[in-house]
Amino acid sequence: MDAGGGGAFRQFLQKGLHYFFDRDGGLEINTSTSSGLSLGTEFVVRVEPVPAGETVEVTLFDGAVELGNALGKVKLEDGAQGRSEPGQAPRRTGALYSTNAMQWCLY
């Protein structure tokens, strides 16, 4: 993680599944085509390379994240899921309502 201006932290992701717990907010998640800004939350980011770039999927357990790319942005809140794909603006794709979602994800 790199300390950015104003006390923010930045994390660059290339591929894989990444878990974040950021209650203070200000964590920036960047990939080669998308970015996310934590607004105080617990979430998972999945980055999957595809021929035209990459697909980025954000799943929130609690809090809020702003997911964006060159074509737009979307604010995701508690239990929401969003996706950013090459050539498309980010969009909401589903919701997560399980109270045991974190345990399911980790185990």
Side-chain angles (χ1 to χ4, degrees):
M1 260 188 201
D2 298 323
F9 287 95
R10 293 186 197 135
Q11 180 72 49
F12 184 81
L13 308 177
Q14 293 182 330
K15 66 179 179 176
L17 184 68
H18 309 272
Y19 168 77
F20 296 93
F21 183 83
D22 175 41
R23 289 290 179 215
D24 297 327
L27 172 65
E28 289 182 33
I29 305 298
N30 295 294
T31 70
S32 61
T33 61
S34 300
S35 64
L37 176 63
S38 166
L39 304 172
T41 189
E42 181 177 5
F43 62 103
V44 171
V45 177
R46 183 175 62 89
V47 181
E48 181 179 330
V50 294
E54 65 198 9
T55 297
V56 177
E57 190 173 81
V58 176
T59 304
L60 270 76
F61 299 113
D62 186 31
V65 166
E66 198 171 84
L67 176 63
N69 65 18
L71 300 174
K73 63 182 176 179
V74 64
K75 185 176 180 182
L76 306 170
E77 295 178 331
D78 293 348
Q81 188 173 56
R83 188 175 182 95
S84 175
E85 297 178 283
Q88 299 178 19
R91 67 188 193 290
R92 286 181 186 83
T93 57
L96 183 67
Y97 294 109
S98 173
T99 57
N100 296 320
M102 193 60 213
Q103 289 83 5
W104 179 82
C105 181
L106 294 175
Y107 303 103

